[in-house]
Amino acid sequence: MNTKKRSFLVHLLSFEFILLNVILIIYLSLILPNIPMGNLSFLQQMLGITIFYNISWLIIILSIREKEFYTNSDYGYFKSLFMSLFIFVGIVSIIVSLLNIRYFELTTFLVPIFIFFILNLISNKYLLRYLKSSGTNHFSNTLLIGYGDEILNMNDFSKNLASYGHKIVGFLKANGEKESTTPSFNIEGNINDLENVFASNAIDEIFIATSSLKEEQIEKSIKIADSFGIRVKLIDEKPLHTSNKYKTDTIGNLAVFNLRQSTLDKFSNVILKRLFDFFFALAVIVVFSPVFLLIGILIFLGCKGKGSILYTPLRKGEAGKTFKCYKFRTMNVCDDAVNGTKSTAVNDPRITPLGKILRKTDLDEMPQFFNVLLGDMSVVGPRPHRTNLQEDFRKCVSDYMVRSYIKPGITGWAQVNGWRGPTLTDEQKNERIKHDLWYIENWGFGLDLKIIFMTIFGKHHQKAF
């Protein structure tokens, strides 16, 4: 799930939670006007009920309404919302009966939920329309490739894509196609223009209609998309590129096959990973704050007050985003944080005595937990690279940019398997990327815990980030 889709879903979810709480507060204030607000027991129950509403609704959304809740398909949205409400009412009914809550009858819960159900259905289409027209960057810029019966009705297909968070920005035809009656787009041409289109436009995803393309054209399109870190979806009744790992989505009447499928494409997994990252990073910062302070003082004294305690080189993150990566300073003369190209070498003379200890124990990387709190990084993921190193990798490894599907990490699967440090040979580059991509495709919460354990208790290798 790319960053734009995630932002799109967060806005819709935020609206739902605000709507739910506003309805709940207004309704309870109307039906319970005589309850003294100074009644501490009542206020505690009100707070508990509000928290219960929100936690229950979040769990239901993440477990049931994985993709349907953001589609604008009337039946699909109604079905997913109705199922969520049905289960929610069932849970609430059981809790009310078991706890015998004093001030609230069952109807107290059912009526605001029914009101929420109706208002949510009515407002959904207007909210989608607002997000699309607001100029904010919530919709994925989508390029359509090929021409076939699957997308002859472009208006309907565009409408269906929009309800899944896509914005069609262009259409590339197969070579030798006749003129069509499709609507005009900002980007038009044929499949031979694909690489130039990617280089000059911000494209997030492509849909390939395979019926009018040769297999070589499909393979080449996928390879070019991988080299730019652009997600690929295939539209075909009998796709050539299928796997038990590839999930099928339905958009309108079309089956769409997602290549490079990852468990982190599920919104619930993204939320789970983010919550773990935040609280784990916060715990590390709190527990090790005395160590952070001591290291900062030692660096300050070692450089006699000259130079900064932190070194903040620019790194490439999720979706190609550039961010400042925080590290403790370990060198007398650091490479330029913005345009630096020189990696650390073995026995590098620039490294200070304290820096050698920090680098050997990985304590110099500890400030990156602040990057995790800010949302630029994850605790576990592919290591972030410099811009120049990214370009070097792209020349050697065709699917290198696929690693930008997710946030970079403080540690990763490649690092705990020995592929950290220098990347001077093609083998080192290919193995690091192969491990990064395996992690993306096989992510699990247990895998993150395993990598953290291996990072702390495993063998350390010479590094040169």
Side-chain angles (χ1 to χ4, degrees):
M1 178 176 293
N2 63 42
T3 55
K4 291 182 180 178
K5 277 190 178 179
R6 193 161 63 236
S7 173
F8 179 74
L9 299 185
V10 167
H11 277 76
L12 292 181
L13 278 176
S14 299
F15 173 79
E16 284 197 0
F17 276 98
I18 293 173
L19 181 63
L20 178 64
N21 284 278
V22 168
I23 291 173
L24 181 63
I25 292 171
I26 293 176
Y27 181 77
L28 292 179
S29 64
L30 290 176
I31 67 170
L32 301 171
N34 298 321
I35 298 295
M37 297 308 293
N39 188 324
L40 182 60
S41 176
F42 171 75
L43 293 178
Q44 288 175 341
Q45 287 199 47
M46 283 282 287
L47 179 61
I49 293 301
T50 303
I51 294 174
F52 172 74
Y53 258 72
N54 285 273
I55 292 178
S56 298
W57 192 247
L58 178 61
I59 293 173
I60 289 171
I61 283 176
L62 297 182
S63 59
I64 297 175
R65 301 166 67 201
E66 183 56 50
K67 65 175 182 178
E68 289 86 354
F69 78 87
Y70 60 90
T71 174
N72 198 30
S73 171
D74 295 335
Y75 174 71
Y77 186 74
F78 176 86
K79 182 177 68 173
S80 64
L81 186 58
F82 180 80
M83 184 183 300
S84 302
L85 291 170
F86 180 80
I87 295 176
F88 182 71
V89 169
I91 294 174
V92 169
S93 301
I94 294 173
I95 297 298
V96 170
S97 300
L98 291 177
L99 299 182
N100 192 24
I101 299 177
R102 178 181 175 186
Y103 292 108
F104 303 96
E105 300 294 335
L106 184 58
T107 54
T108 304
F109 292 94
L110 296 181
V111 174
I113 284 297
F114 177 75
I115 296 173
F116 169 73
F117 176 72
I118 299 299
L119 291 180
N120 206 358
L121 282 177
I122 295 173
S123 61
N124 178 259
K125 63 174 63 178
Y126 296 104
L127 179 60
L128 286 171
R129 187 181 302 172
Y130 167 76
L131 289 175
K132 188 174 182 180
S133 62
S134 63
T136 51
N137 207 21
H138 300 309
F139 284 70
S140 298
N141 290 335
T142 302
L143 182 70
L144 305 182
I145 299 176
Y147 188 84
D149 294 337
E150 301 92 341
I151 48 176
L152 276 173
N153 194 332
M154 292 297 297
N155 290 325
D156 288 345
F157 189 67
S158 300
K159 180 180 178 181
N160 288 325
L161 279 180
S163 57
Y164 278 82
H166 295 274
K167 177 184 177 183
I168 300 178
V169 296
F171 184 88
L172 299 184
K173 301 175 184 178
N175 294 335
E177 282 184 341
K178 297 179 181 179
E179 292 297 323
S180 67
T181 58
T182 57
S184 60
F185 296 104
N186 294 331
I187 302 171
E188 293 183 347
N190 62 54
I191 197 170
N192 291 330
D193 303 321
L194 186 59
E195 191 164 1
N196 291 332
V197 168
F198 286 163
S200 55
N201 296 274
I203 306 296
D204 301 300
E205 300 185 60
I206 61 172
F207 283 75
I208 302 177
T210 61
S211 61
S212 60
L213 299 176
K214 297 178 181 179
E215 184 174 357
E216 306 87 69
Q217 291 177 308
I218 299 172
E219 293 282 3
K220 183 177 180 181
S221 299
I222 294 172
K223 186 175 181 180
I224 293 174
D226 281 347
S227 70
F228 282 87
I230 295 172
R231 296 170 185 258
V232 180
K233 300 180 186 294
L234 301 180
I235 306 173
D236 196 6
E237 294 180 358
K238 298 179 181 180
L240 299 171
H241 309 81
T242 59
S243 163
N244 57 2
K245 290 186 178 181
Y246 298 155
K247 185 177 68 174
T248 305
D249 286 332
T250 301
I251 298 181
N253 296 321
L254 299 177
V256 177
F257 294 82
N258 301 314
L259 299 188
R260 296 289 184 184
Q261 189 64 32
S262 170
T263 50
L264 284 173
D265 287 334
K266 293 186 64 176
F267 190 54
S268 55
N269 288 338
V270 173
I271 295 297
L272 175 63
K273 186 173 175 62
R274 177 57 185 153
L275 288 175
F276 173 78
D277 284 342
F278 182 85
F279 288 107
F280 186 88
L282 184 62
V284 169
I285 291 172
V286 171
V287 172
F288 287 91
S289 55
V291 178
F292 282 33
L293 179 61
L294 176 61
I295 293 174
I297 293 173
L298 292 176
I299 293 174
F300 180 81
L301 295 176
C303 61
K304 298 179 181 179
K306 298 179 180 179
S308 61
I309 294 173
L310 294 178
Y311 173 51
T312 57
L314 295 184
R315 292 289 188 263
K316 287 293 183 178
E318 184 181 20
K321 175 186 175 182
T322 302
F323 68 96
K324 289 183 178 181
C325 183
Y326 300 127
K327 296 185 177 188
F328 281 124
R329 182 180 176 186
T330 60
M331 300 184 184
N332 287 314
V333 180
C334 294
D335 201 13
D336 183 73
V338 177
N339 301 311
T341 60
K342 186 177 181 180
S343 296
T344 312
V346 177
N347 298 321
D348 197 312
R350 297 175 298 168
I351 300 177
T352 64
L354 175 61
K356 291 180 180 179
I357 298 174
L358 296 178
R359 296 179 65 82
K360 185 176 182 179
T361 57
D362 286 335
L363 289 174
D364 62 318
E365 309 285 353
M366 294 292 281
Q368 287 169 36
F369 284 104
F370 287 99
N371 285 116
V372 176
L373 285 184
L374 294 172
D376 294 324
M377 294 179 64
S378 178
V379 176
V380 180
R383 284 293 299 168
H385 287 163
R386 293 178 183 269
T387 301
N388 72 294
L389 189 58
Q390 176 173 286
E391 293 304 315
D392 183 44
F393 266 91
R394 283 188 64 185
K395 295 175 183 178
C396 302
V397 186
S398 61
D399 52 1
Y400 165 79
M401 289 300 293
V402 175
R403 73 199 296 274
S404 65
Y405 281 9
I406 66 173
K407 293 178 182 179
I410 296 176
T411 184
W413 184 240
Q415 282 66 44
V416 298
N417 281 280
W419 298 104
R420 63 181 299 187
T423 51
L424 303 178
T425 68
D426 287 343
E427 180 189 16
Q428 290 171 327
K429 295 173 182 177
N430 279 284
E431 286 297 327
R432 180 180 287 192
I433 302 308
K434 181 166 59 174
H435 282 75
D436 287 341
L437 299 189
W438 184 90
Y439 170 79
I440 293 173
E441 294 177 355
N442 296 275
W443 178 88
F445 185 66
L447 179 60
D448 273 3
L449 296 180
K450 177 181 178 180
I451 293 173
I452 292 172
F453 180 86
M454 293 175 68
T455 301
I456 297 173
F457 300 104
K459 294 180 179 180
H460 293 273
H461 304 268
Q462 178 64 35
K463 66 177 180 178
F465 297 124

